[in-house]
Amino acid sequence: MAKIAIMGHGTLGSGLAEVARVNRESIASKLGEEVEVKYILDIREFPDSPYADRFVKDFSVIENDPEVEVVVETIGGTKVAQEFTRRALLAGKHVVTANKELVATYGKDLLAIAAEKNVNYLFEASVGGAIPLLRPLFQCMAGNQIEEIAGILNGTTNYILTRMVQDGASFADALKEAQAKGYAEADPTADVEGIDAGRKICILSNLAWGKEVAPANVRMVGISALDLKDVDIAASAGYRVKLLGHAMRMADGKVAAYVAPHLVPESSPLSTVDDVFNACLIRGNAADEVMFYGRGAGSPPLPR
């Protein structure tokens, strides 16, 4: 039996714990052994959780338990998450994360530690939510010279724009709805100002071209300044407003990356990607355009 620990019990961490519980038999049949959540790290109390007896507040419990082979980081941010990830890797444990800020900022260093300790640092879920995107980009499209990446990489902003376009909701009202549904944080700055999408386009660029693209060097413009008038003008001209992360390989081999609202033609498949869904178009010189699509925000829609 493989034993894992989950760091953090917010939307992502609790969703993962639920996946492990609901899909236990399916996961075991695919892996050839059961997966047990041995610990969940969180400073809060969750007495009603089916995992109530597995919560710990001291990371060293996880760090020093030789039975724990895999640690899943869903804390978010870079301070505590970086320290605990680093310590887990140094302890010889595989680490899986959905933390795009951590990967975009410290991924190179953490991958170096993982290589030194002969363990895996995996971050597929850091871009695109439920979409398998990074592995296909890095492996399945390895025979291509990647020319361009353009994607709806933030489900929160896509939900807000969908409400504005389809229902005429104001930005403020659509944001409140997103927060009420758990799609947006109490402080939505990282989402609505394009920071979250910016971190993700950095990760995609790093994998596509093997060059470190730092978030500090990427211009990020969000949707907070948009209003219904902008949306209506775009629609009258045959366009949909979408917040895209965009990266291109230039003629001199350099990489240009940025995040901004785009006017997407209605003929583009990206224009019909609505609600909390994400999509990413990747253009290679051999495959032409390939699109990945799937849920990008909120808890997984599992039966309870």
Side-chain angles (χ1 to χ4, degrees):
M1 177 179 290
K3 298 188 178 183
I4 70 172
I6 301 173
M7 299 194 296
H9 199 63
T11 300
L12 290 178
S14 61
L16 173 64
E18 187 70 357
V19 168
R21 184 182 69 83
V22 173
N23 294 344
R24 182 171 182 169
E25 293 183 4
S26 174
I27 293 170
S29 68
K30 293 170 184 174
L31 296 181
E33 62 178 333
E34 289 191 12
V35 174
E36 176 190 342
V37 178
K38 186 171 184 179
Y39 301 112
I40 299 176
L41 178 73
D42 205 293
I43 60 174
R44 299 167 294 173
E45 302 287 344
F46 295 90
D48 298 327
S49 168
Y51 293 101
D53 61 334
R54 308 187 195 182
F55 281 87
V56 296
K57 298 181 180 180
D58 183 357
F59 174 70
S60 64
V61 174
I62 297 171
E63 181 181 25
N64 296 319
D65 189 336
E67 286 191 337
V68 175
E69 301 175 46
V70 179
V71 176
V72 184
E73 185 273 304
T74 66
I75 297 172
T78 59
K79 294 181 180 179
V80 174
Q82 184 205 16
E83 178 191 350
F84 288 173
T85 297
R86 182 176 177 278
R87 285 166 59 182
L89 292 170
L90 289 171
K93 302 180 188 301
H94 307 290
V95 177
V96 182
T97 187
N99 189 337
K100 74 285 296 185
E101 181 179 5
L102 182 64
V103 175
T105 309
Y106 297 106
K108 182 179 179 181
D109 296 336
L110 294 171
L111 283 168
I113 295 173
E116 178 186 340
K117 292 296 179 177
N118 197 30
V119 294
N120 293 313
Y121 181 52
L122 303 175
F123 43 90
E124 178 69 62
S126 65
V127 179
I131 308 171
L133 175 58
L134 301 188
R135 195 178 296 273
L137 171 61
F138 187 67
Q139 294 184 346
C140 302
M141 297 190 71
N144 284 260
Q145 171 62 61
I146 304 300
E147 304 292 350
E148 182 180 10
I149 301 171
I152 297 169
L153 303 175
N154 183 273
T156 301
T157 52
N158 204 41
Y159 176 84
I160 292 170
L161 289 171
T162 299
R163 290 285 290 111
M164 293 175 71
V165 170
Q166 294 186 356
D167 303 303
S170 68
F171 170 81
D173 288 343
L175 173 57
K176 287 179 182 177
E177 288 182 21
Q179 290 172 321
K181 292 185 175 184
Y183 300 152
E185 301 291 340
D187 179 1
T189 303
D191 291 324
V192 301
E193 299 302 339
I195 299 169
D196 176 80
R199 293 164 180 157
K200 294 172 181 176
I201 199 64
C202 287
I203 295 170
L204 289 168
S205 299
N206 293 344
L207 290 177
W209 294 292
K211 299 179 180 180
E212 187 173 12
V213 178
N217 297 329
V218 174
R219 180 167 173 76
M220 304 171 190
V221 178
I223 65 169
S224 60
L226 290 175
D227 60 29
L228 289 173
K229 190 174 183 179
D230 299 315
V231 170
D232 290 342
I233 292 172
S236 67
Y239 293 91
R240 293 282 296 274
V241 179
K242 294 292 184 182
L243 184 72
L244 300 184
H246 206 159
M248 295 159 284
R249 178 179 176 271
M250 310 305 286
D252 59 2
K254 293 182 179 179
V255 175
Y258 65 98
V259 175
H262 285 59
L263 293 176
V264 178
E266 291 178 350
S267 59
S268 168
L270 288 176
S271 72
T272 59
V273 177
D274 291 325
D275 205 63
V276 296
F277 286 82
N278 284 183
C280 187
L281 278 174
I282 300 175
R283 183 165 58 85
N285 66 343
D288 200 9
E289 287 189 349
V290 177
M291 187 169 114
F292 299 84
Y293 168 86
R295 179 175 288 271
S299 298
L302 292 172
R304 301 292 175 178

